Amino acid sequence: MDLIRPPMGWNSFDCYGPCVTEAAVRANAEYMAENLKDFGWEYIVIDIQWYAYNSGVQLEETGYIPFQRNEMDEFARLMPCPQKFPSASGGEGFSQLASFIHGLGLKFGIHMMRGIPRVAAHSHSKLYDTEITADQIANPYSICEWNPDMYGVDPRKPGAQEYYNSVMDLYASWGVDLVKCDDIPDPADELGRMEAEMIHIAAERAGREMVVAFSGPASTENYDFYRNNSQIWRVTDGFTDSWEDLHEMFDICRNWVGRVSDGGFPDCDSLPIGQIGMGMTQRRTDFTIDESRSIISLWSLCRSPLMIGSELTRLDHDTLQMLTNFGILRLTEVSEGAREAYRDSDVIVWRSTDRYDGAEYVAMFNLSTAQTSICPKPFISNKDGNAIELWRGTEINIKSTEDLPGHGCMVIRVEK
């Protein structure tokens, strides 16, 4: 599947962790349809442990309860927990919720863990349309370090591909448009690589176009593997609302220069802005408005997927304004050749070109907490072009010095 622009939408994790409910998903979907859809936001993605009976639990920092009760069908396939998702009762799965989201003109995505449920292996659950049981394909030596719900699937065993086929067929029957596949191991792990390839094969044959997103993090030396088996691959560990994480992303993005294309997008992770909470008491992000603009600017310039992590129904005015800035969001499609052009201890400058009309983009980021002044002229080849600062939406003189707020940025478009 070739996508002209990376997916833009909402992911439940930053705000709800593994405790999101159908009511919350529906409310956020309705808000997106009414307020954000016209600006390119279209995916509603339910993140981890939608199958777990942990509604209302005040979770610790890790957010996972080992060996809790999980909802599963007779064929070793995880199902939505009906306590969280009432419309899933009676074996409906996510069909009704996906239909509701599609009815709003949006797309529906879910999270999956690599592997087969450990409880299915222990109970010898039969795989769909086979005489093989879950324990015969499970690899008990392959367990996620941070979530023990699953055993890996041994790709050498008969029934392994058939199991993943049955999972993806189920997701396709529900109307899933995006599958976020977590705990994808380094491709140097031969069995892990083969297992990830089975997931890709299963998605391709499921009879419905579904975006496959791998969570790694990915490394640049394995670019070909990720590009051949997914449309999205995460390039960082979980991104949190800390300046240290954002500062590190400038280096990570620089490492991935030249490895983005239609249908293949390095993923800088979700946008933990606005009201977040990780399934616990909601709180405001630790990012300032200026830092939040810097995140959206860098992600967009590098054509990363954009997944909002906040509670949409509680968006403040400034955050909503950021998420509806068409000039910035358009970069996710048009930005070409994005690269770092300058760096010192206080300032980083990125440049790219509009692939449709040849306009130049110059993004200037302030790494210091104090206001910094900089002139954009040295970084712009067309010294006579009309220039617009996209966050303010105003024309500027590129020969004049501009003030960048602490940890803030400017994104300038210069006409060809």
Short mmCIF file of all heavy atoms in Angstrom, two decimals, residues 2-66:
data_model
loop_
_atom_site.label_atom_id
_atom_site.label_comp_id
_atom_site.label_asym_id
_atom_site.label_seq_id
_atom_site.Cartn_x
_atom_site.Cartn_y
_atom_site.Cartn_z
N ASP A 2 0.66 2.16 -0.94
CA ASP A 2 1.41 3.39 -0.99
C ASP A 2 0.55 4.55 -0.50
O ASP A 2 -0.53 4.81 -1.04
CB ASP A 2 1.89 3.69 -2.41
CG ASP A 2 3.16 2.95 -2.76
OD1 ASP A 2 3.83 2.48 -1.82
OD2 ASP A 2 3.49 2.84 -3.94
N LEU A 3 1.00 5.22 0.54
CA LEU A 3 0.32 6.37 1.10
C LEU A 3 1.07 7.62 0.68
O LEU A 3 2.30 7.70 0.82
CB LEU A 3 0.28 6.28 2.62
CG LEU A 3 -0.34 5.01 3.22
CD1 LEU A 3 -0.12 5.01 4.73
CD2 LEU A 3 -1.82 4.97 2.91
N ILE A 4 0.37 8.63 0.19
CA ILE A 4 1.02 9.88 -0.20
C ILE A 4 1.48 10.64 1.03
O ILE A 4 2.53 11.29 1.03
CB ILE A 4 0.07 10.74 -1.05
CG1 ILE A 4 -0.24 10.05 -2.37
CG2 ILE A 4 0.67 12.11 -1.31
CD1 ILE A 4 -1.24 10.78 -3.24
N ARG A 5 0.71 10.55 2.09
CA ARG A 5 1.11 11.21 3.34
C ARG A 5 0.98 10.20 4.48
O ARG A 5 0.18 9.27 4.41
CB ARG A 5 0.26 12.45 3.60
CG ARG A 5 -1.18 12.19 3.94
CD ARG A 5 -2.00 13.48 4.02
NE ARG A 5 -1.43 14.43 4.96
CZ ARG A 5 -1.89 15.68 5.10
NH1 ARG A 5 -2.90 16.11 4.37
NH2 ARG A 5 -1.34 16.49 5.99
N PRO A 6 1.73 10.37 5.53
CA PRO A 6 1.64 9.44 6.66
C PRO A 6 0.31 9.60 7.38
O PRO A 6 -0.32 10.66 7.32
CB PRO A 6 2.81 9.86 7.55
CG PRO A 6 3.02 11.31 7.23
CD PRO A 6 2.72 11.44 5.77
N PRO A 7 -0.14 8.57 8.07
CA PRO A 7 -1.40 8.67 8.82
C PRO A 7 -1.34 9.78 9.87
O PRO A 7 -0.33 9.99 10.52
CB PRO A 7 -1.53 7.30 9.48
CG PRO A 7 -0.79 6.38 8.57
CD PRO A 7 0.38 7.19 8.08
N MET A 8 -2.47 10.47 10.01
CA MET A 8 -2.66 11.48 11.04
C MET A 8 -3.91 11.12 11.81
O MET A 8 -4.95 10.83 11.22
CB MET A 8 -2.82 12.87 10.41
CG MET A 8 -1.60 13.38 9.68
SD MET A 8 -1.95 14.89 8.70
CE MET A 8 -2.73 15.95 9.93
N GLY A 9 -3.81 11.11 13.14
CA GLY A 9 -4.98 10.74 13.91
C GLY A 9 -4.77 10.87 15.40
O GLY A 9 -3.98 11.68 15.88
N TRP A 10 -5.49 10.03 16.13
CA TRP A 10 -5.48 10.02 17.60
C TRP A 10 -5.16 8.62 18.07
O TRP A 10 -5.67 7.63 17.54
CB TRP A 10 -6.84 10.45 18.13
CG TRP A 10 -7.01 10.38 19.63
CD1 TRP A 10 -6.58 11.30 20.54
CD2 TRP A 10 -7.68 9.35 20.37
NE1 TRP A 10 -6.94 10.90 21.82
CE2 TRP A 10 -7.61 9.71 21.75
CE3 TRP A 10 -8.32 8.17 20.02
CZ2 TRP A 10 -8.18 8.93 22.75
CZ3 TRP A 10 -8.88 7.37 21.01
CH2 TRP A 10 -8.81 7.76 22.37
N ASN A 11 -4.29 8.53 19.07
CA ASN A 11 -3.95 7.26 19.69
C ASN A 11 -4.27 7.35 21.18
O ASN A 11 -3.94 8.35 21.83
CB ASN A 11 -2.47 6.93 19.47
CG ASN A 11 -2.06 5.61 20.09
OD1 ASN A 11 -1.99 5.47 21.31
ND2 ASN A 11 -1.78 4.63 19.26
N SER A 12 -4.88 6.31 21.72
CA SER A 12 -5.40 6.37 23.09
C SER A 12 -4.35 6.26 24.18
O SER A 12 -4.64 6.54 25.35
CB SER A 12 -6.43 5.24 23.27
OG SER A 12 -5.81 3.96 23.13
N PHE A 13 -3.11 5.88 23.85
CA PHE A 13 -2.18 5.45 24.89
C PHE A 13 -1.77 6.56 25.86
O PHE A 13 -1.78 6.37 27.07
CB PHE A 13 -0.92 4.85 24.26
CG PHE A 13 0.03 4.26 25.27
CD1 PHE A 13 -0.26 3.05 25.87
CD2 PHE A 13 1.18 4.93 25.64
CE1 PHE A 13 0.59 2.51 26.82
CE2 PHE A 13 2.04 4.39 26.58
CZ PHE A 13 1.75 3.18 27.18
N ASP A 14 -1.36 7.72 25.35
CA ASP A 14 -0.83 8.76 26.23
C ASP A 14 -1.85 9.21 27.27
O ASP A 14 -1.48 9.63 28.37
CB ASP A 14 -0.38 9.98 25.41
CG ASP A 14 0.93 9.74 24.69
OD1 ASP A 14 1.68 8.85 25.10
OD2 ASP A 14 1.20 10.45 23.70
N CYS A 15 -3.10 9.14 26.93
CA CYS A 15 -4.13 9.60 27.84
C CYS A 15 -4.72 8.48 28.69
O CYS A 15 -5.03 8.69 29.86
CB CYS A 15 -5.24 10.29 27.05
SG CYS A 15 -6.27 11.36 28.05
N TYR A 16 -4.84 7.27 28.13
CA TYR A 16 -5.56 6.20 28.81
C TYR A 16 -4.72 4.96 29.09
O TYR A 16 -5.21 4.06 29.79
CB TYR A 16 -6.78 5.80 27.98
CG TYR A 16 -7.84 6.87 27.92
CD1 TYR A 16 -7.93 7.73 26.83
CD2 TYR A 16 -8.74 7.04 28.97
CE1 TYR A 16 -8.90 8.72 26.77
CE2 TYR A 16 -9.71 8.02 28.92
CZ TYR A 16 -9.78 8.87 27.82
OH TYR A 16 -10.74 9.84 27.78
N GLY A 17 -3.53 4.85 28.53
CA GLY A 17 -2.78 3.62 28.71
C GLY A 17 -3.60 2.43 28.25
O GLY A 17 -4.24 2.48 27.21
N PRO A 18 -3.64 1.34 29.04
CA PRO A 18 -4.43 0.16 28.65
C PRO A 18 -5.88 0.20 29.13
O PRO A 18 -6.55 -0.82 29.10
CB PRO A 18 -3.67 -0.99 29.32
CG PRO A 18 -3.09 -0.37 30.55
CD PRO A 18 -2.77 1.06 30.20
N CYS A 19 -6.35 1.35 29.59
CA CYS A 19 -7.68 1.41 30.21
C CYS A 19 -8.71 2.19 29.40
O CYS A 19 -9.74 2.59 29.94
CB CYS A 19 -7.56 2.03 31.60
SG CYS A 19 -6.69 1.00 32.79
N VAL A 20 -8.46 2.43 28.12
CA VAL A 20 -9.42 3.19 27.34
C VAL A 20 -10.73 2.41 27.19
O VAL A 20 -10.73 1.17 27.14
CB VAL A 20 -8.84 3.56 25.95
CG1 VAL A 20 -8.70 2.34 25.05
CG2 VAL A 20 -9.66 4.64 25.29
N THR A 21 -11.84 3.12 27.12
CA THR A 21 -13.16 2.52 27.01
C THR A 21 -13.82 2.94 25.70
O THR A 21 -13.42 3.90 25.05
CB THR A 21 -14.06 2.94 28.17
OG1 THR A 21 -14.28 4.37 28.08
CG2 THR A 21 -13.43 2.59 29.51
N GLU A 22 -14.86 2.21 25.36
CA GLU A 22 -15.60 2.53 24.14
C GLU A 22 -16.18 3.94 24.20
O GLU A 22 -16.18 4.67 23.20
CB GLU A 22 -16.72 1.52 23.93
CG GLU A 22 -17.52 1.76 22.67
CD GLU A 22 -18.43 0.61 22.30
OE1 GLU A 22 -18.35 -0.45 22.96
OE2 GLU A 22 -19.22 0.77 21.35
N ALA A 23 -16.67 4.34 25.36
CA ALA A 23 -17.25 5.67 25.49
C ALA A 23 -16.21 6.75 25.19
O ALA A 23 -16.51 7.74 24.49
CB ALA A 23 -17.82 5.86 26.90
N ALA A 24 -14.99 6.56 25.69
CA ALA A 24 -13.94 7.54 25.43
C ALA A 24 -13.55 7.55 23.96
O ALA A 24 -13.31 8.62 23.37
CB ALA A 24 -12.72 7.22 26.30
N VAL A 25 -13.47 6.38 23.35
CA VAL A 25 -13.12 6.30 21.93
C VAL A 25 -14.17 7.00 21.09
O VAL A 25 -13.85 7.80 20.19
CB VAL A 25 -12.96 4.83 21.49
CG1 VAL A 25 -12.78 4.75 19.98
CG2 VAL A 25 -11.77 4.19 22.20
N ARG A 26 -15.43 6.75 21.37
CA ARG A 26 -16.50 7.39 20.60
C ARG A 26 -16.47 8.91 20.77
O ARG A 26 -16.65 9.66 19.79
CB ARG A 26 -17.86 6.82 21.03
CG ARG A 26 -18.12 5.40 20.52
CD ARG A 26 -19.44 4.85 21.05
NE ARG A 26 -19.71 3.51 20.54
CZ ARG A 26 -20.53 3.23 19.53
NH1 ARG A 26 -21.16 4.23 18.92
NH2 ARG A 26 -20.72 2.00 19.12
N ALA A 27 -16.24 9.38 22.00
CA ALA A 27 -16.22 10.82 22.24
C ALA A 27 -15.07 11.48 21.49
O ALA A 27 -15.24 12.57 20.89
CB ALA A 27 -16.11 11.09 23.74
N ASN A 28 -13.90 10.87 21.51
CA ASN A 28 -12.76 11.44 20.79
C ASN A 28 -12.97 11.39 19.28
O ASN A 28 -12.57 12.30 18.56
CB ASN A 28 -11.47 10.73 21.20
CG ASN A 28 -10.91 11.24 22.51
OD1 ASN A 28 -10.15 12.20 22.55
ND2 ASN A 28 -11.29 10.60 23.61
N ALA A 29 -13.59 10.32 18.80
CA ALA A 29 -13.88 10.22 17.37
C ALA A 29 -14.85 11.30 16.93
O ALA A 29 -14.67 11.94 15.87
CB ALA A 29 -14.43 8.84 17.05
N GLU A 30 -15.88 11.54 17.72
CA GLU A 30 -16.85 12.58 17.37
C GLU A 30 -16.19 13.95 17.35
O GLU A 30 -16.47 14.78 16.46
CB GLU A 30 -18.01 12.55 18.36
CG GLU A 30 -18.92 11.35 18.18
CD GLU A 30 -20.00 11.25 19.24
OE1 GLU A 30 -19.77 11.75 20.37
OE2 GLU A 30 -21.06 10.67 18.94
N TYR A 31 -15.30 14.19 18.33
CA TYR A 31 -14.61 15.48 18.34
C TYR A 31 -13.73 15.63 17.10
O TYR A 31 -13.71 16.69 16.47
CB TYR A 31 -13.75 15.61 19.60
CG TYR A 31 -13.10 16.97 19.72
CD1 TYR A 31 -13.69 17.99 20.45
CD2 TYR A 31 -11.90 17.25 19.07
CE1 TYR A 31 -13.10 19.25 20.54
CE2 TYR A 31 -11.31 18.49 19.14
CZ TYR A 31 -11.92 19.49 19.87
OH TYR A 31 -11.33 20.73 19.94
N MET A 32 -13.00 14.57 16.74
CA MET A 32 -12.15 14.65 15.57
C MET A 32 -12.95 14.93 14.30
O MET A 32 -12.58 15.77 13.48
CB MET A 32 -11.34 13.36 15.39
CG MET A 32 -10.45 13.35 14.14
SD MET A 32 -9.44 11.88 13.99
CE MET A 32 -8.24 12.20 15.29
N ALA A 33 -14.06 14.23 14.15
CA ALA A 33 -14.88 14.41 12.96
C ALA A 33 -15.39 15.84 12.84
O ALA A 33 -15.46 16.40 11.74
CB ALA A 33 -16.04 13.42 12.97
N GLU A 34 -15.72 16.43 13.96
CA GLU A 34 -16.30 17.77 13.95
C GLU A 34 -15.26 18.87 13.84
O GLU A 34 -15.50 19.90 13.20
CB GLU A 34 -17.14 17.99 15.21
CG GLU A 34 -17.85 19.34 15.25
CD GLU A 34 -18.76 19.49 16.45
OE1 GLU A 34 -19.00 18.48 17.15
OE2 GLU A 34 -19.25 20.60 16.70
N ASN A 35 -14.08 18.66 14.43
CA ASN A 35 -13.13 19.76 14.57
C ASN A 35 -11.80 19.58 13.84
O ASN A 35 -11.10 20.57 13.60
CB ASN A 35 -12.83 19.99 16.06
CG ASN A 35 -14.06 20.36 16.85
OD1 ASN A 35 -14.52 21.50 16.81
ND2 ASN A 35 -14.62 19.39 17.57
N LEU A 36 -11.41 18.35 13.51
CA LEU A 36 -10.06 18.12 13.00
C LEU A 36 -10.01 17.43 11.64
O LEU A 36 -8.99 17.51 10.95
CB LEU A 36 -9.26 17.26 14.01
CG LEU A 36 -9.04 17.86 15.40
CD1 LEU A 36 -8.40 16.83 16.32
CD2 LEU A 36 -8.18 19.11 15.32
N LYS A 37 -11.07 16.76 11.26
CA LYS A 37 -11.05 15.95 10.03
C LYS A 37 -10.69 16.79 8.80
O LYS A 37 -9.95 16.33 7.93
CB LYS A 37 -12.40 15.26 9.83
CG LYS A 37 -12.45 14.34 8.61
CD LYS A 37 -13.75 13.57 8.54
CE LYS A 37 -14.93 14.48 8.23
NZ LYS A 37 -16.17 13.71 7.99
N ASP A 38 -11.19 17.99 8.73
CA ASP A 38 -10.95 18.84 7.56
C ASP A 38 -9.48 19.24 7.42
O ASP A 38 -9.08 19.75 6.36
CB ASP A 38 -11.81 20.10 7.62
CG ASP A 38 -13.29 19.81 7.42
OD1 ASP A 38 -13.61 18.70 6.96
OD2 ASP A 38 -14.12 20.68 7.75
N PHE A 39 -8.68 19.01 8.46
CA PHE A 39 -7.27 19.36 8.43
C PHE A 39 -6.38 18.13 8.22
O PHE A 39 -5.16 18.21 8.37
CB PHE A 39 -6.88 20.10 9.70
CG PHE A 39 -7.60 21.41 9.87
CD1 PHE A 39 -8.84 21.46 10.51
CD2 PHE A 39 -7.08 22.58 9.35
CE1 PHE A 39 -9.52 22.66 10.64
CE2 PHE A 39 -7.75 23.78 9.47
CZ PHE A 39 -8.98 23.84 10.12
N GLY A 40 -6.99 16.99 7.90
CA GLY A 40 -6.22 15.79 7.58
C GLY A 40 -6.20 14.73 8.67
O GLY A 40 -5.68 13.63 8.44
N TRP A 41 -6.74 15.03 9.84
CA TRP A 41 -6.77 14.05 10.93
C TRP A 41 -7.89 13.06 10.66
O TRP A 41 -9.05 13.46 10.50
CB TRP A 41 -6.98 14.74 12.27
CG TRP A 41 -5.96 15.79 12.56
CD1 TRP A 41 -6.07 17.14 12.36
CD2 TRP A 41 -4.65 15.58 13.11
NE1 TRP A 41 -4.92 17.79 12.75
CE2 TRP A 41 -4.02 16.85 13.22
CE3 TRP A 41 -3.95 14.45 13.52
CZ2 TRP A 41 -2.73 17.01 13.72
CZ3 TRP A 41 -2.66 14.61 14.02
CH2 TRP A 41 -2.07 15.88 14.12
N GLU A 42 -7.58 11.74 10.64
CA GLU A 42 -8.63 10.79 10.26
C GLU A 42 -8.57 9.44 10.98
O GLU A 42 -9.53 8.68 10.92
CB GLU A 42 -8.60 10.56 8.76
CG GLU A 42 -7.28 10.03 8.22
CD GLU A 42 -7.33 9.73 6.73
OE1 GLU A 42 -8.44 9.71 6.16
OE2 GLU A 42 -6.25 9.53 6.14
N TYR A 43 -7.48 9.10 11.63
CA TYR A 43 -7.37 7.78 12.26
C TYR A 43 -7.72 7.86 13.76
O TYR A 43 -7.26 8.75 14.46
CB TYR A 43 -5.96 7.22 12.12
CG TYR A 43 -5.65 6.68 10.74
CD1 TYR A 43 -5.18 7.51 9.73
CD2 TYR A 43 -5.83 5.33 10.45
CE1 TYR A 43 -4.90 7.03 8.46
CE2 TYR A 43 -5.55 4.82 9.19
CZ TYR A 43 -5.09 5.68 8.20
OH TYR A 43 -4.82 5.19 6.95
N ILE A 44 -8.51 6.90 14.22
CA ILE A 44 -8.77 6.69 15.64
C ILE A 44 -8.16 5.33 15.99
O ILE A 44 -8.61 4.29 15.47
CB ILE A 44 -10.28 6.69 15.94
CG1 ILE A 44 -10.89 8.06 15.65
CG2 ILE A 44 -10.53 6.27 17.38
CD1 ILE A 44 -10.43 9.17 16.59
N VAL A 45 -7.13 5.33 16.84
CA VAL A 45 -6.37 4.11 17.10
C VAL A 45 -6.49 3.74 18.58
O VAL A 45 -6.13 4.53 19.47
CB VAL A 45 -4.89 4.28 16.72
CG1 VAL A 45 -4.11 2.99 17.00
CG2 VAL A 45 -4.75 4.68 15.26
N ILE A 46 -6.98 2.54 18.84
CA ILE A 46 -7.06 2.00 20.20
C ILE A 46 -5.75 1.27 20.50
O ILE A 46 -5.41 0.32 19.81
CB ILE A 46 -8.25 1.04 20.35
CG1 ILE A 46 -9.56 1.78 20.08
CG2 ILE A 46 -8.26 0.42 21.74
CD1 ILE A 46 -10.77 0.87 20.07
N ASP A 47 -5.07 1.70 21.54
CA ASP A 47 -3.77 1.12 21.84
C ASP A 47 -3.93 -0.09 22.77
O ASP A 47 -4.98 -0.70 22.86
CB ASP A 47 -2.82 2.18 22.40
CG ASP A 47 -1.37 1.91 22.02
OD1 ASP A 47 -0.73 1.09 22.70
OD2 ASP A 47 -0.86 2.50 21.04
N ILE A 48 -2.91 -0.39 23.50
CA ILE A 48 -2.64 -1.70 24.08
C ILE A 48 -3.70 -2.22 25.07
O ILE A 48 -4.36 -1.47 25.77
CB ILE A 48 -1.26 -1.64 24.78
CG1 ILE A 48 -0.71 -3.03 25.06
CG2 ILE A 48 -1.32 -0.77 26.03
CD1 ILE A 48 0.78 -3.02 25.37
N GLN A 49 -3.83 -3.53 25.10
CA GLN A 49 -4.62 -4.30 26.06
C GLN A 49 -6.11 -3.97 26.04
O GLN A 49 -6.78 -3.94 27.07
CB GLN A 49 -4.06 -4.16 27.48
CG GLN A 49 -2.76 -4.94 27.69
CD GLN A 49 -2.37 -5.10 29.15
OE1 GLN A 49 -2.64 -4.22 29.97
NE2 GLN A 49 -1.76 -6.20 29.49
N TRP A 50 -6.64 -3.79 24.84
CA TRP A 50 -8.09 -3.61 24.71
C TRP A 50 -8.84 -4.89 25.06
O TRP A 50 -10.05 -4.88 25.23
CB TRP A 50 -8.45 -3.16 23.29
CG TRP A 50 -7.65 -3.78 22.18
CD1 TRP A 50 -6.56 -3.24 21.57
CD2 TRP A 50 -7.87 -5.04 21.53
NE1 TRP A 50 -6.08 -4.07 20.58
CE2 TRP A 50 -6.87 -5.18 20.53
CE3 TRP A 50 -8.82 -6.06 21.67
CZ2 TRP A 50 -6.79 -6.31 19.69
CZ3 TRP A 50 -8.75 -7.18 20.85
CH2 TRP A 50 -7.75 -7.28 19.87
N TYR A 51 -8.10 -5.98 25.20
CA TYR A 51 -8.68 -7.28 25.53
C TYR A 51 -8.65 -7.57 27.02
O TYR A 51 -9.17 -8.59 27.48
CB TYR A 51 -7.88 -8.38 24.81
CG TYR A 51 -6.38 -8.20 24.92
CD1 TYR A 51 -5.68 -8.61 26.06
CD2 TYR A 51 -5.66 -7.56 23.91
CE1 TYR A 51 -4.32 -8.41 26.17
CE2 TYR A 51 -4.29 -7.37 24.02
CZ TYR A 51 -3.63 -7.79 25.14
OH TYR A 51 -2.26 -7.59 25.27
N ALA A 52 -8.04 -6.70 27.83
CA ALA A 52 -7.78 -6.98 29.24
C ALA A 52 -8.89 -6.45 30.15
O ALA A 52 -9.42 -5.36 29.92
CB ALA A 52 -6.44 -6.38 29.66
N TYR A 53 -9.20 -7.21 31.18
CA TYR A 53 -10.21 -6.81 32.16
C TYR A 53 -9.55 -5.95 33.24
O TYR A 53 -9.37 -6.37 34.38
CB TYR A 53 -10.85 -8.04 32.80
CG TYR A 53 -11.87 -8.72 31.93
CD1 TYR A 53 -11.48 -9.55 30.88
CD2 TYR A 53 -13.23 -8.54 32.16
CE1 TYR A 53 -12.43 -10.18 30.08
CE2 TYR A 53 -14.19 -9.17 31.36
CZ TYR A 53 -13.78 -9.98 30.32
OH TYR A 53 -14.72 -10.60 29.53
N ASN A 54 -9.20 -4.73 32.87
CA ASN A 54 -8.57 -3.84 33.85
C ASN A 54 -9.22 -2.47 33.88
O ASN A 54 -8.62 -1.50 34.29
CB ASN A 54 -7.06 -3.68 33.57
CG ASN A 54 -6.79 -3.18 32.15
OD1 ASN A 54 -7.69 -2.73 31.45
ND2 ASN A 54 -5.54 -3.25 31.73
N SER A 55 -10.47 -2.36 33.46
CA SER A 55 -11.16 -1.07 33.46
C SER A 55 -11.22 -0.48 34.86
O SER A 55 -11.53 -1.16 35.84
CB SER A 55 -12.59 -1.24 32.94
OG SER A 55 -12.60 -1.39 31.55
N GLY A 56 -10.93 0.80 34.94
CA GLY A 56 -11.03 1.51 36.19
C GLY A 56 -9.89 1.30 37.14
O GLY A 56 -9.84 1.88 38.22
N VAL A 57 -8.91 0.47 36.78
CA VAL A 57 -7.78 0.21 37.66
C VAL A 57 -6.83 1.40 37.63
O VAL A 57 -6.50 1.91 36.56
CB VAL A 57 -7.03 -1.06 37.22
CG1 VAL A 57 -5.79 -1.28 38.07
CG2 VAL A 57 -7.95 -2.27 37.33
N GLN A 58 -6.40 1.86 38.78
CA GLN A 58 -5.38 2.90 38.84
C GLN A 58 -4.02 2.21 38.67
O GLN A 58 -3.54 1.52 39.56
CB GLN A 58 -5.44 3.65 40.17
CG GLN A 58 -6.67 4.53 40.28
CD GLN A 58 -6.67 5.64 39.26
OE1 GLN A 58 -5.74 6.42 39.16
NE2 GLN A 58 -7.74 5.74 38.49
N LEU A 59 -3.41 2.39 37.52
CA LEU A 59 -2.24 1.62 37.16
C LEU A 59 -0.96 2.28 37.64
O LEU A 59 -0.86 3.49 37.79
CB LEU A 59 -2.19 1.45 35.64
CG LEU A 59 -3.43 0.74 35.06
CD1 LEU A 59 -3.40 0.80 33.55
CD2 LEU A 59 -3.47 -0.69 35.53
N GLU A 60 0.05 1.45 37.83
CA GLU A 60 1.36 1.96 38.18
C GLU A 60 2.04 2.48 36.92
O GLU A 60 1.47 2.48 35.83
CB GLU A 60 2.19 0.85 38.83
CG GLU A 60 1.56 0.26 40.09
CD GLU A 60 1.37 1.31 41.18
OE1 GLU A 60 2.20 2.24 41.26
OE2 GLU A 60 0.40 1.19 41.94
N GLU A 61 3.30 2.88 37.05
CA GLU A 61 4.00 3.53 35.94
C GLU A 61 4.05 2.64 34.70
O GLU A 61 3.91 3.10 33.58
CB GLU A 61 5.42 3.91 36.37
CG GLU A 61 6.19 4.68 35.30
CD GLU A 61 7.55 5.09 35.80
OE1 GLU A 61 7.83 4.94 37.00
OE2 GLU A 61 8.35 5.56 34.97
N THR A 62 4.24 1.32 34.89
CA THR A 62 4.33 0.43 33.73
C THR A 62 2.99 0.29 33.01
O THR A 62 2.96 0.10 31.80
CB THR A 62 4.80 -0.96 34.16
OG1 THR A 62 3.88 -1.47 35.12
CG2 THR A 62 6.19 -0.92 34.75
N GLY A 63 1.90 0.38 33.76
CA GLY A 63 0.59 0.33 33.15
C GLY A 63 0.06 -1.05 32.83
O GLY A 63 -1.01 -1.18 32.28
N TYR A 64 0.76 -2.15 33.18
CA TYR A 64 0.32 -3.48 32.81
C TYR A 64 0.20 -4.36 34.05
O TYR A 64 1.02 -4.30 34.96
CB TYR A 64 1.29 -4.12 31.82
CG TYR A 64 1.57 -3.22 30.65
CD1 TYR A 64 2.83 -2.67 30.46
CD2 TYR A 64 0.56 -2.89 29.75
CE1 TYR A 64 3.07 -1.81 29.41
CE2 TYR A 64 0.79 -2.04 28.70
CZ TYR A 64 2.04 -1.50 28.53
OH TYR A 64 2.26 -0.64 27.50
N ILE A 65 -0.82 -5.19 34.06
CA ILE A 65 -1.03 -6.13 35.15
C ILE A 65 -0.70 -7.53 34.62
O ILE A 65 -1.44 -8.06 33.79
CB ILE A 65 -2.48 -6.09 35.65
CG1 ILE A 65 -2.83 -4.66 36.09
CG2 ILE A 65 -2.68 -7.09 36.78
CD1 ILE A 65 -4.29 -4.48 36.44
N PRO A 66 0.41 -8.12 35.04
CA PRO A 66 0.79 -9.44 34.51
C PRO A 66 -0.26 -10.51 34.80
O PRO A 66 -0.84 -10.56 35.88
CB PRO A 66 2.11 -9.74 35.23
CG PRO A 66 2.63 -8.41 35.67
CD PRO A 66 1.40 -7.59 35.98
#
